[in-house]
Amino acid sequence: MTFRLHDTATREVRDFVPLEAGRAGIYVCGLTVQAEPHVGHVRSAVNFDVLRRWLTRSGYDVTFIRNVTDIDDKILAKAEEQGRPWFNLAYDMHRALDRALASINVLPPTYEPGATGHVPEMLELIGELVARGHAYAAEDGSGDVYFDVRSWPSYGELSGQRVDDMQEAGDADPRGKRDPRDFALWKGWKKDSEPETAAWPSAYGPGRPGWHIECSAMAGKYLGAAFDIHGGGIDLQFPHHENEQAQSRAAGHPFATYWMHNAWITTSGEKMSKSLGNSLLVPAVLQRVRGIELRFYMVSAHYRSHVEFSFEALDEAAAGFRRIENFLERADTTEPAADLPQAFVDAMDDDLGTPAAIAVVHDTAREGNRLLAAGEDATGAAASVLAMLDTLGLNPHDPAWVGDDRADARLTAAVDALVAGLLEQRAKARADKDFATADAIRDQIKAAGIEVEDTPAGPKWSLS
């Protein structure tokens, strides 16, 4: 079966036919590093990491580019709120992103370009668009440069919209625009409100790039004028990806052959975001489950399916993964099989059907447990499970999971159970007014380095 992928542009699942046999070029829109990443952000990274791993496993030489937007209106605003240089904020948040992605075993990209390092390429592309009559400098003296959406008849084809039905582009002051839907390619420096460090010299005056031009320039630099797959979250389809495609093709670059978009993780039915105040930062979630369990939770859902996040569902997924680990421990197998089960391959070739692929993992583990219970050899089943997990970035023996040790989690659970039993004994002694025994139990717990706090909701313990 040929690998098939849902193409947002054609709105159908298509056979993947690369531009160059045996090679695959992928560009994924990364984050604007304005704040720490939440689980919604890392779901997108996991989805495209799975795509990359599957293409690599299928024999492709993959060039995987994922950018970072490190200059943006939001970064400038947040840095001003925090009283720090914008580049310091962007750098800190970039480091937090790297830590979050490493904690769930997302492979580093082939290259990760930053917007601030590619301003010359962006200005070159803007110049091409101006020369071809698809962009213009604002006449209000602002130094802004805009893409003329009505100059490109195909504008709107990626998102399936007519120009007249679109909302106004809110990325710059509309005074200098010919049409309110024209979007900014270059933003003139506002010396009264923006730091001098946030401006670069250009033929249009000092300023900085608009958001959309960044990815067109960086994709072209590292993948060429035409490449295979462009990806990102479904919320980027419009206006970001629509604008990328329009400006790139208007400049004469074929750009992406396939468009791949992942769905959101939602909370209470709404997209998880900082602005909604319902985000869950990755370090906080990893206090509850291990990184490998969080990744398993994300991989278990299809990339095009919206996921309503809940800790109950996360705990259930974590428990399911621990059952798979238990089988591998009992089978005492650490080497993955050379080949994958055909049912797993078929599932992955069908638009990265990870739910069906995970079902094959569970079925194989159950068969392995049956063999063990019957006193038979389960090495083959365990090796197949490891091969499938390895393909999904979930092999518990992967060095990436060092420090994400299941023994630590098991020890914590065991201590929790023991302390809970002692607290129950203490509570019964207090209820019986046997305060000497209650105090003795408290002292015993404290001597073990555990502090107990009596709260209205009941006693809580922590390491002292």
Side-chain angles (χ1 to χ4, degrees):
M1 180 177 177
T2 302
F3 176 52
R4 292 169 59 78
L5 185 67
H6 184 271
D7 178 19
T8 307
T10 61
R11 295 155 184 80
E12 63 181 6
V13 177
R14 301 170 52 200
D15 288 354
F16 176 66
V17 181
L19 294 172
E20 184 179 351
R23 296 180 179 273
I26 304 172
Y27 185 92
V28 174
C29 287
L31 294 184
T32 298
V33 282
Q34 56 167 314
E36 291 186 75
H38 55 61
V39 293
H41 293 138
V42 297
R43 184 205 181 184
S44 180
V46 167
N47 290 153
F48 289 103
D49 187 60
V50 169
L51 169 68
R52 176 193 187 176
R53 289 172 183 267
W54 182 242
L55 288 175
T56 301
R57 174 81 193 206
S58 300
Y60 290 94
D61 180 5
V62 179
T63 301
F64 187 89
I65 306 298
R66 185 185 65 228
N67 80 296
V68 165
T69 296
D70 54 359
I71 180 69
D72 179 83
D73 291 343
K74 295 177 181 177
I75 293 174
L76 294 178
K78 284 186 179 288
E80 184 177 7
E81 289 174 9
Q82 298 176 22
R84 62 197 297 197
W86 63 270
F87 47 83
N88 173 252
L89 171 65
Y91 178 63
D92 272 359
M93 294 305 100
H94 190 176
R95 294 177 66 198
L97 173 63
D98 287 345
R99 290 191 296 270
L101 296 182
S103 72
I104 52 173
N105 197 18
V106 171
L107 295 172
T110 307
Y111 188 62
E112 188 177 49
T116 55
H118 296 80
V119 174
E121 290 84 356
M122 297 173 204
L123 286 170
E124 182 180 353
L125 181 55
I126 292 171
E128 292 177 20
L129 291 169
V130 171
R132 286 171 172 258
H134 294 296
Y136 59 92
E139 297 179 358
D140 61 357
S142 62
D144 296 340
V145 181
Y146 297 104
F147 182 85
D148 183 350
V149 298
R150 295 200 181 270
S151 75
W152 186 246
S154 299
Y155 187 71
E157 64 181 355
L158 180 62
S159 55
Q161 299 184 80
R162 295 173 60 251
V163 173
D164 291 335
D165 297 333
M166 295 178 184
Q167 295 181 342
E168 299 178 6
D171 57 356
D173 193 319
R175 290 178 302 176
K177 297 183 179 183
R178 296 174 182 171
D179 186 294
R181 285 159 283 259
D182 292 349
F183 57 89
L185 301 174
W186 186 256
K187 296 184 176 184
W189 177 44
K190 302 175 180 63
K191 65 174 66 177
D192 295 332
S193 59
E194 296 177 349
E196 187 174 357
T197 52
W200 286 258
S202 80
Y204 319 102
R208 55 189 171 85
W211 179 32
H212 314 297
I213 199 69
E214 297 175 6
C215 290
S216 288
M218 290 186 286
K221 182 175 180 67
Y222 297 103
L223 294 174
F227 57 95
D228 297 303
I229 300 172
H230 193 315
I234 190 62
D235 53 319
L236 299 182
Q237 181 182 357
F238 184 86
H240 187 48
H241 289 165
E242 185 74 68
N243 293 349
E244 279 187 60
Q245 177 168 278
Q247 66 199 7
S248 297
R249 293 185 175 175
H253 307 163
F255 212 52
T257 305
Y258 300 83
W259 286 89
M260 176 180 168
H261 291 96
N262 68 277
W264 297 332
I265 287 184
T266 59
T267 51
S268 301
E270 297 182 272
K271 174 192 170 187
M272 185 174 291
S273 68
K274 296 287 188 299
S275 60
L276 289 174
N278 59 3
S279 60
L280 291 166
L281 300 182
V282 174
V285 175
L286 294 183
Q287 291 180 6
R288 184 181 186 110
V289 297
R290 295 175 297 149
I292 198 169
E293 294 166 348
L294 176 58
R295 183 181 176 102
F296 181 76
Y297 169 70
M298 294 180 176
V299 169
S300 297
H302 193 270
Y303 76 90
R304 287 195 289 124
S305 298
H306 288 298
V307 174
E308 178 67 17
F309 182 86
S310 72
F311 279 114
E312 292 76 15
L314 178 60
D315 289 343
E316 183 178 343
F321 188 76
R322 288 194 292 271
R323 287 193 292 272
I324 295 171
E325 285 182 306
N326 281 332
F327 161 63
L328 293 174
E329 289 177 3
R330 293 174 62 218
D332 195 22
T333 301
T334 59
E335 288 299 320
D339 298 320
L340 294 164
Q342 189 59 47
F344 180 91
V345 173
D346 291 344
M348 294 297 290
D349 273 343
D350 185 13
D351 193 28
L352 296 181
T354 54
I358 291 295
V360 178
V361 174
H362 282 300
D363 289 344
T364 308
R366 276 193 290 270
E367 174 60 16
N369 279 320
R370 186 195 66 78
L371 292 171
L372 290 174
E376 300 179 36
D377 183 16
T379 302
S384 290
V385 167
L386 277 174
M388 291 185 280
L389 292 179
D390 193 61
T391 301
L392 297 171
L394 290 164
N395 184 346
H397 302 297
D398 190 323
W401 300 119
V402 172
D404 195 39
D405 194 351
R406 182 172 182 232
D408 291 341
R410 293 173 67 184
L411 180 60
T412 299
V415 172
D416 191 52
L418 291 172
V419 172
L422 289 170
L423 291 176
E424 287 181 8
Q425 295 176 32
R426 177 172 173 260
K428 185 177 185 305
R430 294 180 68 180
D432 294 338
K433 300 188 183 305
D434 184 359
F435 298 112
T437 298
D439 290 344
I441 294 173
R442 181 200 60 201
D443 293 342
Q444 181 183 359
I445 294 173
K446 188 172 183 179
I450 296 171
E451 292 286 346
V452 176
E453 178 184 4
D454 291 309
T455 73
K460 305 291 183 183
W461 71 269
S462 61
L463 296 176
S464 58

